[in-house]
Amino acid sequence: RSWEGNQHDGSASLLWVAQPGLLFQGDKQSSCHPLVSTSGQESIHGATLCYLPLWWPAQLSRLAPSRSSQELLGGFFFFPCFVPTAKSQELLFPQSLSWALGYNSSLAVHSLAGGEDWVLLYVCSHTAVIHDVPGGRQYHLQGHANAISCLCVSEDRRWVATADRGPDPLVIVWDAFSGIPVRTIFDSHPGGGVAAIAISRDARYLVTISSGRVQKVCLWRWTSHTESPVCSAELRPEFGLQAFVIFNPQNPYEFVSNSKTQVIFYLWGGAGLQYSTPPLTKQTFNSVVGHFSQSAFHFNNAQALTGTSAGKLVVWDTACARSLSEEVQAQPHSTKATKVVPMQRSSITVLTVLASCIVTGDVKGRVKFYNGQLQLLACYSHSGVGHICSISFSKSPPEPPDPASLIHQILFLSLNRNFILSTSDATVLHVATDGTNFEKVMEEAKKATTAIACHPRQALLAVGSRCGLLKVWDYQQPKHLVSRIFTEAGIQCLSYDPEGCFLAAGFTDGSVYILDAISLQSCCEAFRFSRGAVTHVSFSHDSEYLTTADEKYAVTVYRRVLQNGQRCWEHLAGLHSHYKPIRSILFGVQLDSNEPRLLSLGEDRQLVEYDLSSSSKDRLVISHRDRVEQVAVPLCLAWYPQFGTESFILTANSCYKMKLYNTTTKMCRKTLLGPTYGSPLEKIQILPTRSTTEPQKCYLAYITQDKVGLQILPVDGNPHKSSAFICHPDGVSDLACSYNGRYVFTAGGNDRTVLKWEVNLKSLISLACWSLNPTVSRLNPSQELEDYFYYVQLRSQGIDTLETRQVSTHIPLEEIPSVMRAMGFYPSEEEIEEMINEVKFSEYVDTGEQVTKINLGDFIKLYINHRPALGLSMKTIRRAFQVLGYDNENGDKVIDRGDLLLLLQLLLFWNAIFTLLLCVLCCCYCSPGAAALTGEEIPEEITAERFTADILGLPIAEPEKRTVKINE
């Protein structure tokens, strides 16, 4: 191929020696990332990164230095163009994808192997999965940061191309034999991503069509060095969304695409990319055409076909067959619809050409074979097959009978190739054409996967979806064990009891089912006491209580009772204890007894504790109600492991802060900086301890909006003790941990997938050791803080004193707010109280004495953990002006000068922005030699930009300009 001239001197690259079947050979752990011997290497914190020696080094050297190592390794951006060595792999990846359940049923499922080997290629969220079904093995092609929107496979099944939609879209070409990414196209279609993709039969060219209102068609010679397309063209919006494209198998310089309403034919060559849009309406043939589904080129190289929702095939004729030349005419050859052939009444959803046969699939699950004259040759159907989304034939057909004529041999090879069917209801079937045997390969959730739960004592995973499907998997094998379908409503949440006997399921209609954990049979009648969808469900430690929370802000408690000599469940009581959505419900154990303890946390910033022992039928008693936040919104809750004498409750809020509250007094004992990976923590779970010999080694698993991560405990604000990876770009709906702490599971919601992540604690510890002083490294500038720190000592001893100065390494606690404000952090009175109490009572449990002073090192940690995680952003200021301002005659959001001064008095220490302004005004009034800033000198109307630049004196960042070209 054209890129063979770039072959490096080394002989260890799997790309050059890869053969079919190589992918699943050898140790799974070492094969997750191919080992490549290269001439160039990059090093990040001592970990060697090796990249393939084609055209990637320039891209890596350009992009890698612009991103911090924490972003590279923490999941903000995963480079598909570098491959870690075997030694560095354990260092780089604290958690690695081990298995994927479910798939994107809107995309095609491809058969990669021939004969009886069932090796499938499909998409799970942002990962392409190569699945050896009989061997129970998977290989994951990971590299996209957004959900994959389309994929295609070359004729010889060697090359796989995947593309995504979203910010910074990628197109990646993979070697299916070795799993190596051989080409990455950055920013192929900025601003939207790719809607359709196809690869030519000779596997030299790639065509992509962007998504969005104005679509762009790009033709790539992916086997060359070029970073820009060979040719491109823009399509008019009236053509509709072109969501399907395919090359002419006999001519790589011709391809066709279609939307629901328009078919477009393309020619490309020396004159660029040209296209024609032959018209076709109901009046053309006085017949209902319907919406277009898929198109294909006829094997006679003079015609093309398009299937429609009316069960018809549109035949397109060209004036003459296109020669295999790159020289293109001034105008594309004329193409027009010559006839519309009614094939059936049902909609045709899939159209493909196989050897000398034309194959269609429809909404009723039928697969039909036609000859070149559109005469029916064979039909395959099954009552359990629904709307067909894709058809993929095996690579190797069986040997034809001998003797036979050439025509008979061709027909035999076409009609006797087994194929894979995928349907819109997430079912994949294998069809053996010799006996019309439909064998189900996979049957997954038809709607969003919203709930997962791990068995507390066995390797079992329960998965629930909005379509009512509940499945239990053995995740060690892995294999499906048992399932049950609930037709009344969708599953919203799941929970096993601590003994592993029951499985509770909450549904979207407010019902609660308590099931046998093994058979999934109901243990009692369904409870229907919630008026809204059940969002949370949890068992007490002794399996005597079950509690639920619903979207109507109510908490409902059920308990086990003895009736007629048998243990059964009954409704105890319910209560609307919150006025905003409930984020967490949590059972614990009383400190002085073995009685269960129940808490709930809501977006109303209330932590509510219930007195179960005093509650009675239809009366749920609240023992404590505490407000845990002032401005931030609490998002999740967990019992903190016992590292010392004092016991804590751990919360995470919307401002990227984690807080420790005393379990008895509910006093905030510590505020700590949490993981800052693009979005706050949505759910947290303490990873079960594997070893009883080291109880102090604990870890926290968490999910953000689109990532899964691990945190080393105890939390202290050290960013290097946390790591996160993109798991579901379109959103994570649930998190579960295995009973032995070896695996973490995430559910992707609308992407209908569940991912199994294998935990590697050694690499997580290695990440934490990379920075010797991570706290100081996040402080900029640290020298300024040190100067303020020692100036406070002078002020506390008196500025005008003539006595000998007592230089100390500590400052009084009451001076903490002054130094914080000098550093640009303006805490509220409540935040000041929390900071002082955090230091004052830090040793009280152990020594019984209060701390009255703080040293520089502890102050730096206090400052880092309490200051805003993301600083003051222009977005925050504009949002405040949107709420508090009005539109002037120019349409800008402004605040009146008088209103501003009034707001400064009313909103003092409530909003950080206006508090900052007040401090600036005070400095202007009080600074010697400074001009007094009076009300008349402030403009009558203040915009967000003027407020930031003129009053606060802060720079306004210019909009970031995107650079599409990769080469320097």
Side-chain angles (χ1 to χ4, degrees):
R1 301 185 183 279
S2 60
W3 44 265
E4 288 180 351
N6 299 297
Q7 183 173 354
H8 65 300
D9 297 333
S11 59
S13 174
L14 293 180
L15 180 63
W16 310 108
V17 298
Q19 298 292 331
L22 175 67
L23 199 64
F24 297 107
Q25 293 179 5
D27 180 64
K28 181 179 179 181
Q29 278 296 106
S30 62
S31 66
C32 284
H33 299 279
L35 306 181
V36 183
S37 184
T38 66
S39 57
Q41 293 182 341
E42 296 286 341
S43 178
I44 297 179
H45 288 290
T48 302
L49 306 182
C50 300
Y51 44 83
L52 293 176
L54 300 180
W55 43 85
W56 293 344
Q59 298 171 347
L60 182 61
S61 63
R62 172 189 173 274
L63 292 175
S66 66
R67 303 176 186 270
S68 68
S69 61
Q70 194 69 11
E71 289 178 324
L72 285 173
L73 305 176
F76 274 99
F77 190 87
F78 179 83
F79 274 112
C81 55
F82 71 72
V83 181
T85 62
K87 292 183 179 179
S88 67
Q89 179 185 335
E90 293 186 358
L91 180 63
L92 292 177
F93 302 102
Q95 60 259 39
S96 58
L97 183 59
S98 176
W99 195 266
L101 300 175
Y103 74 101
N104 186 347
S105 59
S106 63
L107 299 181
V109 176
H110 294 276
S111 174
L112 292 185
E116 296 301 322
D117 295 329
W118 295 355
V119 179
L120 307 181
L121 170 71
Y122 51 85
V123 170
C124 288
S125 187
H126 66 311
T127 302
V129 179
I130 299 178
H131 188 180
D132 177 11
V133 178
R137 299 172 295 182
Q138 285 185 352
Y139 190 93
H140 306 108
L141 305 180
Q142 295 177 267
H144 291 275
N146 307 305
I148 296 176
S149 58
C150 50
L151 81 163
C152 62
V153 181
S154 63
E155 179 70 18
D156 59 1
R157 311 294 202 276
R158 175 72 189 268
W159 311 106
V160 174
T162 57
D164 63 54
R165 294 183 187 178
D168 299 320
L170 294 179
V171 176
I172 306 177
V173 182
W174 311 82
D175 174 26
F177 292 172
S178 63
I180 296 176
V182 296
R183 176 68 191 274
T184 302
I185 302 175
F186 295 90
D187 290 328
S188 58
H189 297 283
V194 183
I197 190 171
I199 192 169
S200 61
R201 187 169 187 174
D202 59 5
R204 295 181 62 192
Y205 303 104
L206 199 69
V207 61
T208 60
I209 303 180
S210 68
S211 60
R213 184 172 179 270
V214 179
Q215 292 185 280
K216 185 177 181 180
V217 182
C218 295
L219 193 285
W220 310 83
R221 186 181 285 110
W222 68 270
T223 55
S224 69
H225 293 273
T226 57
E227 299 296 344
S228 57
V230 177
C231 52
S232 62
E234 283 193 358
L235 305 178
R236 296 198 298 269
E238 55 264 30
F239 294 158
L241 179 63
Q242 301 288 314
F244 181 84
V245 63
I246 189 172
F247 274 95
N248 187 341
Q250 304 178 55
N251 185 2
Y253 305 104
E254 183 178 10
F255 56 93
V256 62
S257 71
N258 69 266
S259 64
K260 290 184 178 181
T261 57
Q262 182 67 59
V263 178
I264 305 177
F265 291 88
Y266 307 82
L267 279 175
W268 69 274
L273 178 62
Q274 303 181 38
Y275 63 86
S276 62
T277 56
L280 177 61
T281 63
K282 179 181 178 180
Q283 289 74 26
T284 305
F285 295 100
N286 196 24
S287 173
V288 176
V289 179
H291 288 156
F292 300 131
S293 56
Q294 291 186 1
S295 301
F297 286 93
H298 201 288
F299 49 79
N300 61 19
N301 199 28
Q303 292 179 323
L305 305 170
T306 300
T308 75
S309 60
K312 300 176 181 179
L313 286 181
V314 180
V315 181
W316 309 89
D317 269 323
T318 58
C320 60
R322 177 68 181 158
S323 61
L324 301 179
S325 172
E326 197 168 344
E327 297 179 359
V328 71
Q329 301 159 352
Q331 295 293 331
H333 59 280
S334 59
T335 304
K336 65 178 182 179
T338 57
K339 55 184 174 180
V340 176
V341 183
M343 310 299 293
Q344 57 191 41
R345 295 184 179 180
S346 304
S347 299
I348 296 175
T349 57
V350 177
L351 175 64
T352 184
V353 174
L354 176 68
S356 62
C357 288
I358 298 168
V359 187
T360 65
D362 59 32
V363 293
K364 292 187 176 181
R366 295 173 299 189
V367 179
K368 296 181 179 180
F369 290 77
Y370 300 89
N371 61 14
Q373 290 73 42
L374 300 183
Q375 296 173 336
L376 183 64
L377 300 177
C379 178
Y380 298 91
S381 63
H382 190 274
S383 60
V385 181
H387 181 125
I388 295 177
C389 291
S390 68
I391 303 174
S392 180
F393 290 89
S394 61
K395 182 179 178 182
S396 302
E399 292 295 329
D402 190 50
S405 66
L406 179 60
I407 296 179
H408 288 164
Q409 288 187 16
I410 294 175
L411 290 176
F412 179 86
L413 295 178
S414 301
L415 296 175
N416 290 272
R417 288 175 65 172
N418 300 338
F419 55 89
I420 293 292
L421 287 181
S422 69
T423 66
S424 61
D425 60 356
T427 303
V428 178
L429 301 103
H430 178 270
V431 182
T433 55
D434 54 354
T436 65
N437 179 29
F438 284 70
E439 186 171 353
K440 192 174 294 184
V441 181
M442 294 192 302
E443 184 177 15
E444 303 299 336
K446 303 174 181 62
K447 295 183 180 180
T449 302
T450 52
I452 53 177
C454 285
H455 195 280
R457 298 185 178 184
Q458 301 179 39
L460 301 179
L461 175 71
V463 181
S465 68
R466 287 286 177 83
C467 65
L469 176 64
L470 175 60
K471 301 180 73 172
V472 176
W473 290 82
D474 181 347
Y475 56 78
Q476 287 285 63
Q477 300 300 325
K479 63 179 180 180
H480 166 243
L481 298 179
V482 63
S483 62
R484 180 178 174 181
I485 297 179
F486 298 86
T487 59
E488 296 83 5
I491 300 173
Q492 185 72 21
C493 52
L494 294 169
S495 178
Y496 281 99
D497 78 301
E499 297 295 326
C501 299
F502 302 106
L503 175 64
F507 288 78
T508 54
D509 63 351
S511 59
V512 177
Y513 283 77
I514 302 177
L515 312 172
D516 180 82
I518 304 300
S519 65
L520 299 185
Q521 296 301 312
S522 298
C523 298
C524 59
E525 292 293 329
F527 295 107
R528 305 183 187 275
F529 292 93
S530 297
R531 297 183 179 180
V534 178
T535 57
H536 299 80
V537 59
S538 180
F539 284 93
S540 63
H541 73 286
D542 54 4
S543 301
E544 294 296 320
Y545 288 91
L546 170 69
T547 186
T548 64
D550 58 49
E551 63 180 15
K552 298 299 183 180
Y553 322 140
V555 173
T556 308
V557 178
Y558 306 87
R559 65 180 177 185
R560 293 181 72 187
V561 295
L562 188 64
Q563 289 183 356
N564 300 326
Q566 293 183 347
R567 302 278 286 178
C568 61
W569 292 89
E570 72 167 11
H571 172 259
L572 177 61
L575 183 67
H576 285 81
S577 50
H578 296 270
Y579 61 89
K580 284 189 177 181
I582 298 174
R583 299 294 307 199
S584 294
I585 54 174
L586 189 66
F587 269 110
V589 184
Q590 297 288 351
L591 296 178
D592 54 352
S593 66
N594 197 39
E595 293 298 317
R597 187 178 182 184
L598 176 61
L599 299 96
S600 64
L601 179 69
E603 291 184 8
D604 55 3
R605 303 180 178 91
Q606 297 292 324
L607 178 63
V608 181
E609 183 169 359
Y610 305 87
D611 189 349
L612 296 178
S613 60
S614 302
S615 300
S616 57
K617 185 66 175 177
D618 298 328
R619 180 175 175 268
L620 185 59
V621 178
I622 293 178
S623 60
H624 297 285
R625 184 187 293 271
D626 299 278
R627 185 180 178 90
V628 294
E629 295 287 352
Q630 184 180 20
V631 176
V633 177
L635 300 177
C636 46
L637 179 71
W639 291 108
Y640 196 62
Q642 193 84 21
F643 290 105
T645 307
E646 195 172 5
S647 58
F648 298 106
I649 300 170
L650 176 66
T651 67
N653 64 28
S654 58
C655 293
Y656 299 92
K657 300 296 184 181
M658 305 177 79
K659 292 189 175 183
L660 294 177
Y661 294 90
N662 183 280
T663 56
T664 303
T665 63
K666 305 300 193 310
M667 176 187 290
C668 180
R669 293 285 290 103
K670 273 192 177 182
T671 300
L672 303 152
L673 178 65
T676 54
Y677 293 112
S679 58
L681 305 190
E682 298 286 340
K683 188 174 182 178
I684 56 179
Q685 281 192 17
I686 305 299
L687 205 65
T689 306
R690 300 184 187 179
S691 175
T692 58
T693 59
E694 297 176 319
Q696 295 299 317
K697 290 188 176 181
C698 297
Y699 305 87
L700 178 76
Y702 62 84
I703 54 174
T704 66
Q705 185 177 352
D706 60 348
K707 299 176 183 69
V708 59
L710 295 174
Q711 167 93 41
I712 299 176
L713 298 180
V715 290
D716 56 7
N718 181 356
H720 296 278
K721 294 175 67 174
S722 177
S723 174
F725 289 81
I726 296 174
C727 56
H728 301 277
D730 293 335
V732 191
S733 61
D734 204 359
L735 169 74
C737 300
S738 64
Y739 72 97
N740 55 7
R742 293 186 57 188
Y743 303 102
V744 173
F745 300 88
T746 57
N750 291 329
D751 66 15
R752 292 170 287 178
T753 61
V754 174
L755 301 182
K756 170 187 171 185
W757 301 85
E758 187 169 356
V759 176
N760 186 351
L761 297 179
K762 291 183 179 179
S763 60
L764 183 63
I765 297 173
S766 300
L767 282 174
C769 296
W770 277 355
S771 178
L772 297 178
N773 199 346
T775 306
V776 177
S777 67
R778 293 181 67 89
L779 187 60
N780 185 28
S782 58
Q783 183 60 45
E784 181 183 2
L785 175 57
E786 188 174 350
D787 293 341
Y788 290 140
F789 190 82
Y790 288 112
Y791 178 75
V792 166
Q793 294 187 23
L794 298 177
R795 194 180 71 165
S796 62
Q797 298 175 23
I799 298 296
D800 300 327
T801 182
L802 298 178
E803 298 180 2
T804 304
R805 298 287 182 179
Q806 300 295 326
V807 179
S808 172
T809 58
H810 296 74
I811 62 172
L813 294 187
E814 55 268 17
E815 296 292 345
I816 288 179
S818 301
V819 183
M820 291 286 182
R821 295 181 182 121
M823 289 297 296
F825 168 41
Y826 302 91
S828 65
E829 291 297 329
E830 181 173 329
E831 291 173 325
I832 291 173
E833 183 180 356
E834 288 181 352
M835 284 188 291
I836 294 178
N837 288 338
E838 180 176 324
V839 182
K840 182 186 296 185
F841 298 104
S842 59
E843 301 176 3
Y844 186 80
V845 175
D846 297 326
T847 64
E849 298 180 356
Q850 297 181 1
V851 177
T852 58
K853 55 187 178 179
I854 185 173
N855 60 31
L856 178 61
D858 291 338
F859 185 90
I860 291 177
K861 294 179 181 179
L862 192 71
Y863 172 68
I864 292 295
N865 285 322
H866 281 265
R867 70 173 181 176
L870 304 180
L872 186 63
S873 66
M874 196 65 200
K875 181 179 178 181
T876 305
I877 296 177
R878 288 195 179 101
R879 186 165 58 244
F881 272 74
Q882 289 287 335
V883 175
L884 301 174
Y886 62 91
D887 293 323
N888 64 2
E889 58 184 10
N890 298 326
D892 299 326
K893 282 290 183 181
V894 297
I895 296 179
D896 182 75
R897 178 177 59 197
D899 294 339
L900 175 63
L901 298 176
L902 179 62
L903 285 169
L904 290 176
Q905 301 174 47
L906 297 179
L907 303 179
L908 182 62
F909 297 123
W910 178 83
N911 188 294
I913 299 173
F914 292 100
T915 304
L916 176 60
L917 176 58
L918 179 65
C919 294
V920 172
L921 295 176
C922 291
C923 290
C924 292
Y925 276 121
C926 301
S927 299
L933 184 60
T934 63
E936 287 73 15
E937 293 176 346
I938 301 176
E940 292 185 2
E941 292 183 344
I942 305 170
T943 63
E945 288 73 17
R946 176 171 289 184
F947 174 83
T948 304
D950 298 342
I951 298 179
L952 297 184
L954 301 177
I956 300 178
E958 294 291 334
E960 182 181 357
K961 297 181 179 180
R962 295 179 58 88
T963 302
V964 177
K965 192 173 181 181
I966 296 298
N967 290 338
E968 294 181 353

